[in-house]
Amino acid sequence: MFNKFIKITVLSVVAITTLHTAIAQGAIQQTKGDFEDKFRQLDEVLPTPNVYRNAAGEPGHAYWQQRVDYKIKATLDENKRRIDAVENITYHNNSPDTLKYLWLQLDQNIYRADSMASKTNTFGGIGNRGPATQSASDDKPAQLSLDALRRQHYVSDHELGYDIKAIKDKSGKKLHYVIVGTNMRIDLSQPLKSGKNVEFSLEYGFNIVEEDAVSARGGYEHFVDDKREGGNDIFLLAQWYPRLHAYTDYEAWTNKEFLGRGEFTLEFGDFDVEMTVPADHIVSSTGTLQNSSDVLTSTQRKRLKEAEKSERTVFIVTEEEALENEQEGTDKQKTWKFNAKNVRDFSWASSRKFMWDAKGVHQDSKEQPVVMAMSFYPKEGGDLWKKYSTESIVHTLEVYSRFSFAYPYPVAQSVNGPVGGMEYPMITFNGPRTELQKDGSRTYSQSEKRFLIGVVIHEIGHIYFPMTVNSDERQWTWMDEGINSFLDGVAGREWDSTIPWGVEPRDVVDYMKGSVQVPIMTQSDSVLKLGPNAYNKPAVALNILRETILGRELFDFAFKEYAQRWMFKRPTPSDFFRTMEEASGVDLDWFWRGWFYTTDHVDISLDSVYKLRMDTKDPDIDFDRERQVELDKPLSLTDERNSAEGKKQWVERFSDIKDFYDDNDRFTVTNKERNSYQKFLKELKPWERETFERAVKEDLNYYVLDFTNKGGLVMPIILELTFADGTKENQTIPAEIWRRSAKSVSKLIITDKDKELVGVTVDPRWETADVDVNNNHYPRQIIPSRIEAYKAKKSTSKVSRDIMQDIKTELKKDKEKSDDNSDDKTNTESDEQ
């Protein structure tokens, strides 16, 4: 049977090893016991489908979730910077279980000295913003930042955390409760059965933290230089009321303590909230304003109505009005009333400094045909906010709705304050601002402009994920931050593609090849580098899935299916993974496993390329080809130099010693070989001979490409083939090529006779996050990089100081110090710009 297989001989060997030789001959080498199945089905890891969450990744026929309704009356004491409130809660038990107690979140308790977050905060290390240590071998002292010292002082000088004054049931009877760090258990008077609800009330208060001092998700910011005596504040109220932990089908009570990084897991419900604030304050809030005639002027109400149909933003409170407002102050109060339907949280902002602009967004939705995009900001926001905040909201709604569902709420707001970026239903807090110059003007850098556009898109995007698609932030940060970063990258590039959005494959290669990382699926508080792990890497993964693996049509359909399936419900990672597979019709277990469950990286090396040619079996043709191969080999250096020196070979000097073999080399054809060839042809079946003769006639080029998976993460192999005639061709080999050998594979590439391959590049457009492009080319290429000349700086250690000279320095007066500091600041700002 051997003679019925067409032999392919090597014409030229570009690189050769024992393994490559074996592969070229068709043998797949696999070290015993070293096989790793990168395509093992993920169902072994994912939770078993059930009546609550089915195997297709959608809510099962018995899916349930709890519901919590809140009625809150709160008073903001501006002078004390304190909130006091009464909260009435109705808890609906839609689970099949009977509950004897409820768990609530007391997020403000994280600022207490006895909180788990405070007790477990480390000195230095990954994830800390302030302190830093030196290595044990370094003679420099350890360092403690002024920011860290400021936080310590503030926490020790203020009484922080919730002051729980009373908890009572509907009849007014006190309920027993136990506070455990940032959690509180309330014991019910009687067990709450399935399908029933319970009402209870809380009276509480807390001192609002200064955000700049403690680096919080909310708090106040003080403006000491405002003309009003005592200055002004902006208050951002978040995590400001005791709220129920989620009770779920997959974990029961999600009462893991709040440590600061892992965000929130909450239930949907209706809110009726009344905020009593200084009468000259403007309030931005989750929900819709119920008593506009009590808190807004007739002019403001008219402007707000005009904004619904305006093509450009309309100022509800103008800059001039805001400037006038912030100069005075009042002892009077007003109560703003807001109602929010079917939201998982509630936040608000209050200040006399706010300008307020708005624009109506009209969308194809019966439930919410008009959405009011609105921005609230002080004079410090300046033209930066006037131009870009509300417009960024509008753009976000257009793009995100295309990928998911029509925006489900009546308002979408961006509020400027001390928080860099945070999201809540219908409202977001965003930090970028202008810089006041000496001439009184306000300017902003390009980076600040990009920051504002990017953060508004990102935070407004969060109203879709996770404020509507209600994932568990405490467990899986990537399900909201990663998915949202992917979408804000889509929206961002549709805004201005020249802005770096951080979601291209090239943006994560340094992180993915680094040693300080954990799998994306790591619980939020244990992630080492939150930004790359929970934002960038999953965003890049989804970008690759859309652009390279599935294609836009399949991805967009599946992603929209996921969003609409889990709108106002609580998905888990398995629901996302299963929906994307089920709706796209593509097995993606290898992708989820590699990108989300491991720290493998992409590094596909093109090790060698063999050019092969079909043997014709005709000795008059094949032997001549083999002779030519020998002739094409480089001339021996010794023979070349002997010839140059005029040395004659022995057989040239004495011709009489020549014989038959001097005229006939080992490639001389005899009739014996010709007879064997004829016999071979006669023994072929008709179809075999037809196949063989066609292959010989076509005389195609056969190239074997050898690849090594150096990074461990299997991915499609994307090739750019360059031919001798100058043309190029792209080929994509699906990731499944690695299914039987995840470490090395070979691929046969066949081209027409006139398409001679001269170069191959793996991943030419950097689509797969390959961390090493040096091994992506064959033949190898010179990779451009940079080198910078530098001059060594003098050491400033204590030993090298010239104290004899420095002792002559005069002490500068306060004014001189101030001028020097001003110059230093100006130089720094200039450098940043």
Side-chain angles (χ1 to χ4, degrees), residues 522-649:
T522 303
Q523 191 273 331
S524 302
D525 294 303
S526 299
V527 173
L528 299 182
K529 291 186 175 182
L530 190 69
N533 178 278
Y535 292 69
N536 301 94
K537 184 179 176 182
V540 167
L542 295 178
N543 192 56
I544 292 172
L545 195 61
R546 182 178 189 238
E547 300 289 4
T548 300
I549 295 172
L550 291 179
R552 291 190 172 191
E553 182 178 2
L554 287 180
F555 179 93
D556 292 356
F557 175 84
F559 187 87
K560 193 167 189 175
E561 181 68 18
Y562 163 74
Q564 294 185 349
R565 282 180 178 182
W566 291 98
M567 184 181 183
F568 295 118
K569 297 182 176 66
R570 180 178 290 108
T572 65
S574 61
D575 301 314
F576 178 71
F577 297 153
R578 284 168 169 156
T579 295
M580 292 301 293
E581 285 196 11
E582 192 269 345
S584 70
V586 178
D587 180 7
L588 297 171
D589 285 9
W590 62 271
F591 184 83
W592 308 129
R593 185 183 293 277
W595 277 89
F596 289 78
Y597 286 88
T598 77
T599 56
D600 290 347
H601 60 267
V602 183
D603 184 5
I604 298 174
S605 172
L606 175 55
D607 299 324
S608 60
V609 178
Y610 296 84
K611 183 177 181 181
L612 311 177
R613 193 173 189 182
M614 183 75 65
D615 275 359
T616 68
K617 305 295 281 187
D618 184 341
D620 290 302
I621 297 176
D622 292 345
F623 280 31
D624 187 58
R625 288 178 178 176
E626 293 181 38
R627 179 184 290 113
Q628 190 61 46
V629 169
E630 287 294 315
L631 294 174
D632 288 341
K633 290 180 179 179
L635 183 65
S636 163
L637 186 60
T638 299
D639 292 344
E640 181 181 332
R641 289 175 177 173
N642 285 344
S643 177
E645 293 173 0
K647 291 181 180 179
K648 288 190 175 183
Q649 302 177 61

Side-chain angles (χ1 to χ4, degrees), residues 73 107 152 212 397 460 621 638 667 698 765 812:
K73 293 183 178 180
D107 307 287
Q152 291 176 10
D212 287 341
L397 301 188
I460 292 294
I621 297 176
T638 299
F667 301 109
E698 290 178 343
R765 303 191 66 177
K812 293 182 178 180

Side-chain angles (χ1 to χ4, degrees), residues 813-827:
K813 298 178 180 179
D814 288 343
K815 185 177 187 306
E816 293 175 319
K817 290 180 182 179
S818 177
D819 291 342
D820 286 352
N821 290 338
S822 177
D823 291 340
D824 291 343
K825 183 177 180 182
T826 302
N827 292 337

Side-chain angles (χ1 to χ4, degrees), residues 117 156 344 591 744:
S156 63
R344 60 168 244 168
F591 184 83
S744 61

Side-chain angles (χ1 to χ4, degrees), residues 419-583:
V419 177
M422 270 303 295
E423 73 280 358
Y424 305 95
M426 307 188 219
I427 185 172
T428 64
F429 301 155
N430 303 301
R433 283 188 181 146
T434 60
E435 187 74 24
L436 180 63
Q437 303 301 329
K438 291 181 178 180
D439 62 1
S441 65
R442 287 191 170 274
T443 62
Y444 51 87
S445 65
Q446 182 188 58
S447 62
E448 200 74 359
K449 170 188 172 181
R450 290 177 171 182
F451 180 20
L452 177 64
I453 296 168
V455 74
V456 172
I457 291 175
H458 183 84
E459 304 305 341
I460 292 294
H462 270 311
I463 303 177
Y464 292 80
F465 304 91
M467 298 301 146
T468 306
V469 179
N470 185 26
S471 59
D472 186 338
E473 297 178 89
R474 187 66 51 87
Q475 288 292 348
W476 303 293
T477 299
W478 72 267
M479 284 200 74
D480 69 290
E481 298 297 355
I483 288 176
N484 187 45
S485 293
F486 158 70
L487 282 177
D488 82 43
V490 175
R493 284 171 290 188
E494 290 188 20
W495 174 283
D496 183 353
S497 61
T498 64
I499 298 176
W501 296 99
V503 295
E504 293 290 348
R506 70 193 68 151
D507 296 324
V508 296
V509 295
D510 288 339
Y511 172 69
M512 290 185 68
K513 67 183 178 184
S515 59
V516 185
Q517 58 172 310
V518 293
I520 289 174
M521 285 294 291
T522 303
Q523 191 273 331
S524 302
D525 294 303
S526 299
V527 173
L528 299 182
K529 291 186 175 182
L530 190 69
N533 178 278
Y535 292 69
N536 301 94
K537 184 179 176 182
V540 167
L542 295 178
N543 192 56
I544 292 172
L545 195 61
R546 182 178 189 238
E547 300 289 4
T548 300
I549 295 172
L550 291 179
R552 291 190 172 191
E553 182 178 2
L554 287 180
F555 179 93
D556 292 356
F557 175 84
F559 187 87
K560 193 167 189 175
E561 181 68 18
Y562 163 74
Q564 294 185 349
R565 282 180 178 182
W566 291 98
M567 184 181 183
F568 295 118
K569 297 182 176 66
R570 180 178 290 108
T572 65
S574 61
D575 301 314
F576 178 71
F577 297 153
R578 284 168 169 156
T579 295
M580 292 301 293
E581 285 196 11
E582 192 269 345

Side-chain angles (χ1 to χ4, degrees), residues 23 292 392 405 411 416 450 486 538 548 552 604 676 695 797 799:
I23 293 173
S292 60
S392 297
F405 40 74
V411 295
N416 182 241
R450 290 177 171 182
F486 158 70
T548 300
R552 291 190 172 191
I604 298 174
S676 296
S797 68
V799 177

Side-chain angles (χ1 to χ4, degrees), residues 619-621 623-624 627 665 667-671 673-674:
D620 290 302
I621 297 176
F623 280 31
D624 187 58
R627 179 184 290 113
D665 60 17
F667 301 109
T668 299
V669 181
T670 69
N671 288 333
E673 286 81 22
R674 293 186 179 98

